[in-house]
Amino acid sequence: SELESPLIEQGSEDNFWSFVKDGSSMLLRSLALQSSFFVAAIVAARLPDPEALAAYGIVVQLWMLTSYLTDGFANVGTMLGGRLYGESWGLVSRLLFQRMTERLLFIGCLVGLLFSVLLLALEDEIISVFTMKSSESKAKVIGQLRKVWSLIAVVQPINSLVFVLDGLIYALQKFDYVRNLMVFAFAVVYSPLLISFQVTGFFDAASGLVFIWLAKSAMNFVRLLGLVRGVASGLQCSG
């Protein structure tokens, strides 16, 4: 046992630093994600119409709409997928993981499409829930919401798939990959688009809020492509 103790201690130390590394990757990923919302709020606050900031706060809640359901599916993917990945990751495990992935993505897509339909069909009713209080700026807030409404509805399936794929990529323990993808999407796609919209004067127009969420949509689309690639490469890896 005396001979084994140093090996056990070394293994524990390696696991600890591996945990720290993965935790740091997830921290950077979260910082990039939250920064995208923080920057968007700053841009919204500087739009010509002050009501745009109020509309932005409402849109944030609608943007995350599918996460309330798909986060549960993502957690299932993380837990079951992680168990499959941690056991042996042989041919059988990979086939089971692939089947689970296909089913979760199908459900996630259906959830996203459902919310898209609901947002489009119940636009007036949903807007009225967020704008019940009468005020002088109420009509302008509603006007801002209507400009961006179709975009928010259409992007729901993309968001839903991204949430599900996040859970699956965590199961494959590709934390560095998730970090790099999020930082890339924020720094190379989202931020340059906001800057280009600013330079070209799009934010000076009455529909400036739309361009904020166009940039956010582009960021999530890049995340979707990257996550699909990451999960697919993980399934091809023999462990």
Side-chain angles (χ1 to χ4, degrees):
S1 59
E2 292 180 358
L3 294 175
E4 294 175 353
S5 295
L7 296 177
I8 295 175
E9 291 177 1
Q10 182 63 41
S12 299
E13 184 176 349
D14 291 343
N15 290 335
F16 171 77
W17 289 114
S18 178
F19 176 79
V20 171
K21 179 175 176 290
D22 292 338
S24 299
S25 294
M26 295 309 298
L27 176 62
L28 289 174
R29 178 239 178 227
S30 297
L31 285 175
L33 177 60
Q34 294 305 316
S35 294
S36 69
F37 287 104
F38 182 70
V39 171
I42 293 175
V43 175
R46 296 183 177 182
L47 292 176
D49 294 331
E51 293 78 14
L53 183 58
Y56 168 81
I58 296 173
V59 173
V60 168
Q61 301 304 315
L62 297 172
W63 180 266
M64 301 296 293
L65 199 58
T66 58
S67 69
Y68 303 129
L69 281 180
T70 52
D71 270 354
F73 301 127
N75 290 335
V76 170
T78 301
M79 291 183 290
L80 297 183
R83 187 182 68 179
L84 290 171
Y85 184 76
E87 287 178 347
S88 61
W89 203 234
L91 178 60
V92 175
S93 296
R94 279 182 284 156
L95 287 175
L96 290 174
F97 193 102
Q98 180 177 352
R99 180 173 298 179
M100 178 189 67
T101 297
E102 293 170 351
R103 291 179 178 179
L104 289 178
L105 289 179
F106 178 73
I107 295 172
C109 187
L110 284 182
V111 171
L113 289 172
L114 174 62
F115 277 104
S116 292
V117 171
L118 290 176
L119 284 172
L120 293 173
L122 303 175
E123 177 179 349
D124 294 336
E125 290 78 2
I126 296 174
I127 289 178
S128 65
V129 171
F130 287 99
T131 56
M132 295 179 65
K133 185 177 180 179
S134 298
S135 65
E136 295 181 358
S137 61
K138 178 178 179 178
K140 292 184 177 180
V141 173
I142 293 176
Q144 289 286 342
L145 288 173
R146 291 196 185 282
K147 291 175 184 177
V148 76
W149 197 266
S150 296
L151 174 62
I152 300 304
V154 169
V155 83
Q156 289 300 315
I158 293 177
N159 291 352
S160 183
L161 291 174
V162 166
F163 298 144
V164 172
L165 285 165
D166 268 342
L168 293 169
I169 204 84
Y170 297 154
L172 296 171
Q173 300 180 18
K174 303 184 72 168
F175 301 110
D176 290 352
Y177 182 87
V178 175
R179 175 202 63 204
N180 294 339
L181 175 61
M182 184 66 77
V183 172
F184 175 85
F186 174 74
V188 181
V189 179
Y190 178 73
S191 297
L193 277 176
L194 288 181
I195 293 172
S196 66
F197 291 152
Q198 176 66 42
V199 171
T200 52
F202 286 122
F203 290 141
D204 296 329
S207 57
L209 189 65
V210 176
F211 292 98
I212 294 176
W213 291 103
L214 274 175
K216 197 73 171 70
S217 299
M219 178 180 175
N220 264 22
F221 183 70
V222 170
R223 287 177 62 198
L224 174 63
L225 295 180
L227 289 169
V228 168
R229 179 177 179 273
V231 172
S233 65
L235 285 171
Q236 293 172 1
C237 179
S238 59

